[in-house]
Amino acid sequence: MRRRRGAQIIEEGLLIIVALLGIGIAMGAANMIYEKIQEAIQAFFDAVQWWWDTLFPFL
């Protein structure tokens, strides 16, 4: 009976560790995606600004 309880505690501890690692990896991936989206949006607006400055330098 005690061995089962001890094994269950170890198993639950390992499951918690794996869950926390998964959450950490997911958060890291979400952060990388967010940064890439920000870079793409910034590149788009930089391109629009370049075109604006090139086509309408008198404005």
Side-chain angles (χ1 to χ4, degrees):
M1 194 71 165
R2 284 189 166 188
R3 284 187 181 178
R4 279 184 149 176
R5 184 69 180 147
Q8 185 179 2
I9 290 171
I10 291 172
E11 182 181 349
E12 289 174 359
L14 290 174
L15 286 173
I16 289 171
I17 290 170
V18 169
L20 290 174
L21 284 172
I23 290 170
I25 290 170
M27 288 176 65
N31 186 41
M32 289 178 64
I33 292 169
Y34 174 73
E35 288 176 3
K36 292 296 181 184
I37 290 172
Q38 269 189 321
E39 288 176 15
I41 291 171
Q42 186 62 44
F44 171 77
F45 283 111
D46 289 346
V48 169
Q49 185 65 40
W50 181 83
W51 277 102
W52 184 264
D53 293 341
T54 302
L55 294 174
F56 306 105
F58 51 86
L59 292 178

